[in-house]
Amino acid sequence: AYTNQRKLDLLIRIDSVYQVFEEVVAFKYQVEESSELEYLAAVNQARQINLQMEQAQYDFEIAINELNQWIFSDSLFTVDQSDRQLMAPLSFSDSTVDHHPELQLARDQILLSEKGLKAVRAEYLPKLNLMYGFQEVNGLDGFYQYQAGLSFPLIFNKQQGMVQAAAIDLEISQQRLRQTTLEVQSRYLAAEANYQKWQASWQYYQLEAMPNAQRQLEGAALSYQAGAIDYVAFLQNTHFALGLELKGLEALNAYLDAKFQLEYLMEKEN
């Protein structure tokens, strides 16, 4: 929704430039200072930009609706363009995947397997039985008797098989933890590399390409109104500038997606 809002704002700005361009060309055409070809080109380009702006408006509304479906709130949430936390870079100095939910689930499974093995082994071991009671000897009471004994499982092979099955289950759980750890660590490294790639790309567009594109767009509009360039040069410059800014927004969207993917894998150590 954030990038949808940025794209809509961009196309609104571009649309206003093309509206002025169309008005200037229409005036020149009326006073016969421009050809019909120039007039038609201006009208068609202005209509295309306007259509893109309308489509961007629909895309933004769809994104907002989807966002609110995930939030489950009576209040309508929208986009805050000044959200610094959203754009803040991630820090890797104290990040770890040790507390990732998938790893925690695998550790919990090991604990369950260990408890199951202990329970089965307890049934496998002999049990000590103690008995205590009163006894009468030669008609005299006040005597006590004690009995102690051991009982062993009669179905030895069956119990032994249950212990082996529980031990195998524990080994499987431990292997699953090792495998899950490798998978999560691999995904983390890939996510970190992907994040750094798109962070560098977005920084380029944010700090260099997009500001230059905006100046190019403004300069082309002023130059055309002043008669310094013709309509072909104007269309070429504005088309290039618009394409550059749209690529910048694509880089922003990829950067935010990579950031969210990495945040899911990261945990802050306390």
Side-chain angles (χ1 to χ4, degrees):
Y2 180 81
T3 52
N4 289 107
Q5 176 70 70
R6 293 282 297 262
K7 183 178 181 179
L8 177 60
D9 293 342
L10 168 63
L11 288 170
I12 290 174
R13 178 162 51 87
I14 299 294
D15 181 70
S16 64
V17 172
Y18 270 85
Q19 291 300 325
V20 174
F21 170 62
E22 184 181 6
E23 292 174 0
V24 173
V25 173
F27 176 76
K28 287 184 177 181
Y29 181 66
Q30 290 177 357
V31 298
E32 299 182 349
E33 290 185 3
S34 64
S35 65
E36 184 178 6
L37 178 62
E38 180 176 356
Y39 173 73
L40 292 175
V43 172
N44 288 333
Q45 288 294 323
R47 295 295 183 272
Q48 288 183 14
I49 294 297
N50 186 261
L51 178 60
Q52 291 183 47
M53 181 186 67
E54 292 178 355
Q55 292 175 340
Q57 177 66 47
Y58 287 124
D59 290 339
F60 174 67
E61 293 175 357
I62 292 172
I64 287 295
N65 289 332
E66 291 178 348
L67 174 63
N68 282 273
Q69 288 177 2
W70 280 100
I71 295 177
F72 297 108
S73 174
D74 295 334
S75 302
L76 180 65
F77 284 83
T78 185
V79 175
D80 183 8
Q81 294 286 345
S82 62
D83 189 350
R84 295 184 178 181
Q85 184 177 0
L86 179 66
M87 303 302 297
L90 298 178
S91 174
F92 305 100
S93 59
D94 55 352
S95 61
T96 178
V97 296
D98 290 342
H99 302 290
H100 190 272
E102 292 181 27
L103 295 181
Q104 191 59 49
L105 181 62
R107 293 191 188 97
D108 291 342
Q109 185 60 49
I110 289 180
L111 293 177
L112 290 176
S113 298
E114 289 176 343
K115 290 181 179 179
L117 180 58
K118 289 180 180 179
V120 174
R121 282 177 173 172
E123 294 294 328
Y124 180 69
L125 297 174
K127 297 181 179 179
L128 176 63
N129 300 308
L130 296 176
M131 296 182 63
Y132 165 82
F134 298 98
Q135 186 178 17
E136 182 177 328
V137 179
N138 297 325
L140 298 176
D141 56 9
F143 295 93
Y144 304 92
Q145 65 174 351
Y146 302 90
Q147 293 181 357
L150 292 175
S151 61
F152 297 88
L154 295 178
I155 310 177
F156 179 81
N157 291 334
K158 178 182 178 180
Q159 199 69 23
Q160 185 180 32
M162 294 176 62
V163 172
Q164 291 175 347
I168 292 174
D169 182 69
L170 176 58
E171 291 180 2
I172 293 174
S173 298
Q174 292 171 339
Q175 178 59 32
R176 186 179 293 114
L177 174 60
R178 290 191 290 268
Q179 181 65 29
T180 303
T181 301
L182 291 175
E183 292 176 356
V184 172
Q185 288 177 342
S186 177
R187 282 156 47 196
Y188 173 80
L189 292 176
E192 182 179 353
N194 189 54
Y195 168 78
Q196 291 175 337
K197 177 186 73 174
W198 285 112
Q199 182 187 38
S201 178
W202 166 239
Q203 286 180 345
Y204 160 71
Y205 281 104
Q206 180 187 28
L207 300 178
E208 297 182 35
M210 295 178 76
N212 290 338
Q214 185 173 351
R215 286 193 291 269
Q216 182 178 3
L217 180 66
E218 295 171 351
L222 293 174
S223 297
Y224 177 78
Q225 293 180 36
I229 60 174
D230 60 10
Y231 79 99
V232 176
F234 171 81
L235 293 177
Q236 288 176 342
N237 277 273
T238 54
H239 180 74
F240 178 80
L242 175 60
L244 202 58
E245 293 216 46
L246 289 176
K247 287 182 179 180
L249 293 180
E250 291 176 1
L252 171 60
N253 189 64
Y255 163 70
L256 292 176
D257 183 66
K259 180 182 178 183
F260 297 149
Q261 293 294 330
L262 185 56
E263 282 182 322
Y264 172 70
L265 295 168
M266 288 174 58
E267 286 287 346
K268 298 293 185 180
E269 290 184 337
N270 296 325

